[in-house]
Amino acid sequence: MSMLSRLLSLSPELLVQIISYLPFKDIISCQASCRHLNGVVKNSFLLKYLKEAGRTGVYDPIDPGFTFPERLEKLHRWEKSWENLDIPDTSTRITFDLDLWSPLIGSLHNGHLIVTDADPVVYAYSDISSLPNALPLRSIERGNLTLVRDGVLHAFAFADEYDLVVIVSTGKLATTENLSYDLDLQPPTILLNVHLLTLSKSTAHPLAKNPHLDISLKSRFILGCTLDAQVAGNLLVILTCHGWSCEFDEIHIIHWREGTTHCLRRSPPNTYFPQITFLSEDALILVQKEGNALELCQITLGDSPGLETHCVLVLPALQQGISCVMVECQGDQIVASHDMLMRSRRLPFVSDPSATVLCFTLGFRQVVGGFDYLRSVSFWVRRSSLYEYATRGGNQTYSWDAWGPSVTRWTDWEHGLAPCRPGGSRSALFPLLIEVGIGNPIVVRDFHPERVRSAIARSKGSSWNENRLKVVTESSKIEKGEEFLNDIVSSLPYCEATSEKRYGYHEVLIDDERVVGITRGDNEGTIDIHLMI
């Protein structure tokens, strides 16, 4: 008996169990291979759901709580609501005092709304994942409010799956007697105070062996020093940058549960922008100032952790004498898929974490009519595309033409739309100028490769409505000019949905389940939460 005959002789129940371990494209191939397997797949809710989940670009560990018909129904509703961008009426409204919260920065992490402000240094948090989809509007408390009063150079890092907030600030100058580790320093130096607190209550974090840590920098002058902090898994990374020629850019790593601290790298001043991003739990993205490039690095763990540069991706060339004055990177944090699902109260699935996008924004200072203003351009890139280069190793440098045009999509803010923080593979865009009295539609771009492929296939049908969902596969161009030496051509494909309703929001945040609109008024601001499913 041949191998195929043996396979086909198995019971349908056993065949379903075997096929369910295959990737969704292989399930489709099995179904197309013969009449018998076609019937097995068509008659199995599990296999039909796995096919649809793969085509739709979601991850589902098949935990108990939902039947497969329920999963299919929720998946189809979820897909349709985002494709049509049928945004329901506001289910919940949060109000805030602009005396305290202007200008605020908002972020949405798996159903947790976090807003921060730099003046005064403050953050507030609300768990909106369990809010009901019910009218009329109701106001809720902002949740926990933490005001940081001591020190300067504050930075926040969040890991909501661990209920963790990290607050980094500078305190007194260090001497060699109060260092937590020996670096043979000449005092006095800058001392960073690191507090590991619970996000929900601002108390010492129970998982942290030492919830308060001090890090002594080689640099001695606070003036001209900037910093950033990010956390992923068990690792907290702090980058401090300095503009003084006698100081250093420094990268420190903290195993925040164990409380151990190590200096990974010291570089000359102005080597990096104060922006650090996790590519994976042990890989980082640094942005070089002088080289105008992304540096992809690997954290080597062990008794003496280090940081190895795996490759450098050069960004588009600038005109002579032009330099970027600001770089910002936004995107979902590195979170295990199951940890993300633990925050969801309505869906058994989440968008595929491997397909998340990052949005980089570059700022250039221009003088027009005697006034300074910041001209900004942004580009999206999939994390997986960068990770592919990071895993090649060899510390190679790739020119922009070699790596960038096909895996990025650029946009110029001068066209009137600015990108918001991405949620998964999606990114909302908000208008820089709001039309008085009528507002503006919300625009959402989806860069997930499977959803783009599915939309391209369906766009060839007669029922396709391009007014609701547009598929963009052709290249776009930012023309060369005062900043860039050459035209920037980019072609990362995406789907773009535009809402029929208009809103007066100044910023829009999204995750798998919600659209959150932030409005700033004269004396009060509002945060409106729209549940998509």
Side-chain angles (χ1 to χ4, degrees):
M1 181 182 292
S2 67
M3 186 68 70
L4 178 60
S5 299
R6 291 178 181 178
L7 177 67
L8 297 180
S9 66
L10 298 176
S11 67
E13 294 79 12
L14 189 54
L15 281 172
V16 167
Q17 186 173 351
I18 294 171
I19 297 173
S20 67
Y21 288 101
L22 297 175
F24 85 97
K25 290 183 178 179
D26 291 339
I27 296 177
I28 295 174
S29 298
C30 279
Q31 185 176 5
S33 64
C34 70
R35 185 178 300 173
H36 182 66
L37 290 181
N38 176 58
V40 170
V41 174
K42 284 181 64 175
N43 293 320
S44 167
F45 274 116
L46 169 60
L47 297 183
K48 286 194 291 187
Y49 174 69
L50 293 178
K51 275 181 22 181
E52 288 298 292
R55 181 192 62 80
T56 315
V58 300
Y59 165 81
D60 187 342
I62 316 297
D63 290 335
F66 296 89
T67 66
F68 289 112
E70 288 173 339
R71 281 176 154 88
L72 274 169
E73 187 268 337
K74 286 183 177 293
L75 184 59
H76 290 152
R77 282 176 50 210
W78 177 82
E79 181 183 25
K80 184 178 179 181
S81 67
W82 281 108
E83 284 191 350
N84 295 334
L85 209 56
D86 291 325
I87 300 176
D89 292 334
T90 302
S91 61
T92 303
R93 172 167 290 167
I94 303 173
T95 60
F96 56 89
D97 182 356
L98 279 182
D99 290 340
L100 177 65
W101 291 100
S102 180
L104 61 79
I105 300 173
S107 58
L108 192 59
H109 299 270
N110 311 318
H112 286 160
L113 179 65
I114 302 169
V115 285
T116 61
D117 192 7
D119 187 18
V121 179
V122 64
Y123 84 89
Y125 148 90
S126 286
D127 183 355
I128 62 174
S129 61
S130 58
L131 296 180
N133 184 9
L135 295 174
L137 297 179
R138 66 188 186 94
S139 294
I140 65 172
E141 295 296 326
R142 280 193 297 264
N144 185 67
L145 171 66
T146 296
L147 181 64
V148 182
R149 300 183 183 277
D150 300 324
V152 294
L153 292 177
H154 298 85
F156 296 103
F158 303 97
D160 63 290
E161 69 272 22
Y162 301 116
D163 192 28
L164 171 68
V165 58
V166 180
I167 301 175
V168 184
S169 61
T170 56
K172 59 185 178 179
L173 294 180
T175 65
T176 51
E177 289 142 10
N178 58 19
L179 300 184
S180 57
Y181 53 98
D182 183 15
L183 281 175
D184 190 25
L185 300 177
Q186 295 181 353
T189 60
I190 298 174
L191 189 69
L192 293 183
N193 304 136
V194 181
H195 296 272
L196 306 170
L197 307 176
T198 56
L199 180 60
S200 56
K201 298 181 180 178
S202 290
T203 56
H205 201 286
L207 296 180
K209 187 176 180 180
N210 185 359
H212 175 258
L213 299 164
D214 291 334
I215 300 176
S216 183
L217 304 180
K218 185 76 170 177
S219 300
R220 293 171 291 173
F221 299 100
I222 293 179
L223 186 63
C225 186
T226 52
L227 64 88
D228 189 28
Q230 296 291 330
V231 62
N234 192 39
L235 300 181
L236 164 67
V237 176
I238 300 174
L239 167 64
T240 55
C241 301
H242 217 293
W244 289 63
S245 60
C246 58
E247 302 296 351
F248 300 90
D249 290 356
E250 303 182 46
I251 303 173
H252 291 79
I253 185 174
I254 298 175
H255 291 76
W256 63 268
R257 292 174 187 260
E258 295 83 3
T260 57
T261 304
H262 303 275
C263 180
L264 295 181
R265 178 180 292 180
R266 285 197 183 95
S267 305
N270 282 315
T271 298
Y272 300 111
F273 284 97
Q275 174 67 60
I276 194 163
T277 305
F278 274 96
L279 189 56
S280 66
E281 287 196 14
D282 59 354
L284 300 175
I285 306 172
L286 303 172
V287 185
Q288 295 180 357
K289 269 190 174 182
E290 294 297 327
N292 188 38
L294 306 181
E295 182 178 335
L296 310 185
C297 305
Q298 187 81 23
I299 301 172
T300 58
L301 301 176
D303 294 335
S304 181
L307 192 65
E308 297 180 356
T309 299
H310 275 205
C311 73
V312 174
L313 305 179
V314 179
L315 295 174
L318 302 178
Q319 295 281 7
Q320 187 173 2
I322 296 297
S323 61
C324 186
V325 299
M326 179 276 292
V327 173
E328 183 181 57
C329 178
Q330 293 185 318
D332 276 353
Q333 294 177 270
I334 297 294
V335 181
S337 304
H338 193 269
D339 287 333
M340 294 173 67
L341 280 163
M342 291 178 67
R343 297 300 184 190
S344 177
R345 313 295 170 92
R346 297 176 179 84
L347 299 177
F349 51 80
V350 293
S351 286
D352 181 6
S354 65
T356 57
V357 294
L358 298 172
C359 182
F360 289 85
T361 297
L362 285 63
F364 302 90
R365 181 164 287 115
Q366 289 188 344
V367 179
V368 177
F371 295 96
D372 278 356
Y373 87 101
L374 192 69
R375 189 209 169 191
S376 299
V377 295
S378 299
F379 70 89
W380 294 273
V381 60
R382 294 189 190 119
R383 249 194 183 102
S384 57
S385 299
L386 298 180
Y387 191 74
E388 179 185 344
Y389 282 95
T391 54
R392 294 181 184 182
N395 195 10
Q396 297 185 56
T397 297
Y398 296 90
S399 68
W400 163 252
D401 290 335
W403 80 273
S406 63
V407 299
T408 63
R409 176 68 69 165
W410 289 67
T411 186
D412 192 335
W413 287 33
E414 291 189 348
H415 294 161
L417 290 176
C420 302
R421 176 185 293 273
S425 63
R426 297 186 180 94
S427 181
L429 293 94
F430 70 96
L432 297 176
L433 294 175
I434 298 175
E435 295 188 38
V436 179
I438 60 173
N440 301 75
I442 293 175
V443 178
V444 174
R445 291 182 177 178
D446 190 343
F447 295 90
H448 195 288
E450 294 302 332
R451 293 199 278 265
V452 171
R453 275 192 282 267
S454 175
I456 291 173
R458 288 181 289 122
S459 67
K460 300 173 182 178
S462 58
S463 61
W464 181 256
N465 184 358
E466 194 177 60
N467 294 327
R468 302 307 305 273
L469 185 67
K470 179 172 64 174
V471 184
V472 179
T473 57
E474 64 273 12
S475 298
S476 58
K477 181 172 69 173
I478 295 180
E479 294 185 352
K480 63 183 179 180
E482 294 186 18
E483 292 84 22
F484 294 102
L485 185 63
N486 304 301
D487 293 342
I488 302 176
V489 177
S490 57
S491 57
L492 178 66
Y494 62 90
C495 302
E496 181 175 285
T498 303
S499 67
E500 284 191 332
K501 296 180 182 178
R502 289 174 169 262
Y503 304 86
Y505 296 141
H506 296 94
E507 185 177 357
V508 177
L509 306 174
I510 59 175
D511 65 8
D512 271 343
E513 300 180 22
R514 304 162 192 86
V515 172
V516 175
I518 300 177
T519 308
R520 301 175 182 89
D522 292 333
N523 300 307
E524 185 181 75
T526 59
I527 300 175
D528 290 344
I529 300 168
H530 304 265
L531 296 175
M532 295 297 289
I533 183 171

